Amino acid sequence: MLVAGPTTARELWQSGPASLDGGGSVRQILVVSRGTNLEDFYTGYLTPSCEDDFANCPAFDAVGEQRVVTSLTRLRLRGELRIGEHLSAVAEFDNELIAGHLDTFEAQLGQTIASRTWVDAGGSIGNDRVEYRYFLWRGYVKFDSRHFTAIVGRQRVPWGVGRLWSPMDRFNAIRPLAIQGDQFPAVDAALGRILIGDFTEIEGVFSAADVAENHSGAARLHGVLLDVDYSLMAGVFDDAPAVGFDLATNLGGAAGRAEVVFTHPRRLVWPIGEAAPRQLDDFWQLVVSVDYSFDIGDGLYALLEYLYNGNAQGFGYGKAGNWLTFFEEPVNQPLLPFTSPNRFGGSRVISGSHHLTALQLGYDLTPELRIDFLTIADWDGPSVVFYPALRWSPLDWLELTVGVQGTAGPHLSEYGSLPTTAFLLADFFF
């Protein structure tokens, strides 16, 4: 997973205790992979045989048959206004120009199941080859004092201790193989935090949605006990109550972490091929990880992390394979009956496999040049993904990253059917 690079900001205005800082960045990404032409998929989907045997629908013959090249250029502008000692406001606005193969089956599916914000603070202009998008990335007002903090607006709520997977992060989780691993999604929410001791705090979050039944709310107790950082969480996400805890502590020279979450889904889902709608089973999710910096050269960073996902989606069957679990029966749904977020029981950790193990290594070849390597094994498939990345920071305002994601394993596995993906990412800061 990529980590955030350096940022810069400069003071634009100051008057007494009030000040305004501004800055920004430009990110350029070029991605080469394989995808699915949406028109070809639609043509196959309209075949009469799909009604009788959806898993072997000819539409799935088109999956992964198209070479996909996509370019993204993003200008992000950030401003922070401070009014006195306790009050501040932050706004980050994105302008994106995207070119290449945009109208694919994978892109439409991703938009369907992605997290959605309450306020539609953005828009787009363009077609399936070139598109300009603009939207509010972050925008919130913050009051911060010694014992109380309140934040209202579009923000990140960083719960959980997992490095690659975080079942407790029900607001802003991001998948381990995301090319932009530093771009955690935002949520429109109101957050309050009260410090009740030197190292203990209570935090509450309410996230509004388009309709009342989709609102999410949770509370967390966070503190330190016997050199162990701990958190206890309880909340309701997509109408699914969940409780959990996380722990983080030093293990000699290493750092150890654990997360455990139990979820009770209450909504009905109707997966393709089943006779009637049903409620998802209760499920557990567990993450255990340890990381350590070995005294080799300038220090070799190593992370080992395990995920048990009791809400694994499975691998499907037929031509559809892994895609089968992302469809529902077409009841009052559009032509392509993509699944709703209800299918995931309020969790943001989505996998086909119950058991995943990751090993991540990182080493600074020089102060400017770093190499990272991530491999994840799916034990149900079995399958594996290899993800090397090389990051170069020749200047304070420039960072370049090149990476490749390659996979191995059978078609019906977590990673076996994923295409090889290569990318070049450049960040310019000002």
Side-chain angles (χ1 to χ4, degrees):
M1 179 182 294
L2 298 176
V3 296
T7 58
T8 59
R10 64 181 63 184
E11 187 175 84
L12 304 178
W13 168 81
Q14 182 176 13
S15 177
S19 64
L20 175 63
D21 294 338
S25 63
V26 174
R27 170 166 286 184
Q28 175 66 51
I29 307 176
L30 178 66
V31 179
V32 180
S33 185
R34 301 198 70 85
T36 306
N37 184 284
L38 194 57
E39 183 177 348
D40 292 344
F41 190 89
Y42 268 117
T43 301
Y45 182 78
L46 295 175
T47 303
S49 62
C50 292
E51 297 182 7
D52 300 324
D53 187 7
F54 182 77
N56 288 295
C57 176
F60 295 103
D61 290 331
V63 171
E65 290 300 309
Q66 181 184 34
R67 175 68 67 183
V68 174
V69 180
T70 306
S71 169
L72 180 146
T73 304
R74 175 192 301 125
L75 169 63
R76 175 170 295 167
L77 300 175
R78 184 181 193 275
E80 179 175 2
L81 175 65
R82 297 198 62 85
I83 305 174
E85 181 181 357
H86 303 295
L87 189 62
S88 63
V90 170
E92 294 186 65
F93 199 81
D94 280 3
N95 299 268
E96 294 183 345
L97 181 64
I98 308 175
H101 300 86
L102 310 180
D103 193 17
T104 64
F105 162 73
E106 292 83 2
Q108 189 171 104
L109 175 61
Q111 292 173 5
T112 301
I113 65 176
S115 301
R116 300 189 181 277
T117 54
W118 179 41
V119 179
D120 184 18
S124 63
I125 302 171
N127 52 38
D128 60 351
R129 289 294 179 180
V130 179
E131 184 178 16
Y132 165 66
R133 301 174 184 172
Y134 55 93
F135 55 92
L136 183 67
W137 173 247
R138 297 284 192 269
Y140 56 85
V141 176
K142 179 178 181 180
F143 176 84
D144 193 9
S145 65
R146 185 173 183 274
H147 294 284
F148 177 70
T149 298
I151 307 174
V152 178
R154 184 159 299 178
Q155 59 185 290
R156 181 189 171 198
V157 183
W159 287 5
V161 295
R163 289 294 184 258
L164 299 172
W165 300 282
S166 182
M168 190 176 288
D169 190 347
R170 296 299 178 96
F171 297 104
N172 308 123
I174 190 170
R175 63 189 183 91
L177 296 181
I179 291 176
Q180 300 187 77
D182 58 337
Q183 301 299 294
F184 289 87
V187 62
D188 294 336
L191 178 150
R193 184 185 303 120
I194 301 175
L195 185 66
I196 59 177
D198 290 340
F199 303 103
T200 305
E201 61 185 25
I202 297 177
E203 194 171 48
V205 179
F206 174 77
S207 175
D210 50 353
V211 294
E213 63 181 11
N214 292 331
H215 294 338
S216 294
R220 183 180 74 145
L221 173 67
H222 178 72
V224 179
L225 180 64
L226 300 177
D227 294 328
V228 176
D229 287 355
Y230 71 89
S231 295
L232 304 176
M233 181 273 293
V236 179
F237 310 90
D238 293 335
D239 200 31
V243 295
F245 67 89
D246 66 41
L247 303 171
T249 188
N250 292 322
L251 301 173
R257 305 172 196 84
E259 289 187 40
V260 179
V261 178
F262 173 79
T263 304
H264 171 62
R266 297 188 295 199
R267 292 184 179 174
L268 297 178
V269 298
W270 196 348
I272 285 286
E274 298 197 7
R278 63 176 175 85
Q279 184 174 297
L280 294 177
D281 295 333
D282 296 348
F283 62 91
W284 291 88
Q285 292 173 308
L286 164 71
V287 165
V288 178
S289 74
V290 60
D291 64 355
Y292 183 78
S293 291
F294 293 92
D295 188 16
I296 300 175
D298 291 331
L300 173 65
Y301 173 80
L303 166 71
L304 183 65
E305 186 159 296
Y306 166 76
L307 166 71
Y308 168 74
N309 185 14
N311 192 36
Q313 303 301 300
F315 301 139
Y317 58 92
K319 292 182 178 180
N322 293 5
W323 293 116
L324 187 63
T325 58
F326 293 102
F327 288 86
E328 292 183 351
E329 287 291 342
V331 179
N332 298 323
Q333 297 214 16
L335 180 62
L336 289 180
F338 288 139
T339 190
S340 70
N342 298 338
R343 185 73 175 86
F344 313 118
S347 174
R348 297 296 184 265
V349 175
I350 301 173
S351 70
S353 174
H354 285 88
H355 304 278
L356 297 169
T357 302
L359 173 65
Q360 186 175 32
L361 302 173
Y363 186 76
D364 291 319
L365 301 173
T366 71
E368 298 81 21
L369 189 62
R370 179 178 177 84
I371 185 170
D372 291 285
F373 178 79
L374 172 66
T375 182
I376 306 177
D378 139 46
W379 301 109
D380 290 352
S383 64
V384 64
V385 60
F386 304 98
Y387 182 6
L390 188 66
R391 186 166 71 248
W392 183 40
S393 305
L395 301 167
D396 291 340
W397 50 268
L398 174 63
E399 184 173 278
L400 303 173
T401 303
V402 60
V404 178
Q405 296 179 2
T407 64
H411 175 63
L412 297 181
S413 63
E414 182 80 4
Y415 302 115
S417 58
L418 293 183
T420 298
T421 300
F423 68 89
L424 172 64
L425 185 151
D427 281 318
F428 307 88
F429 304 96
F430 60 88

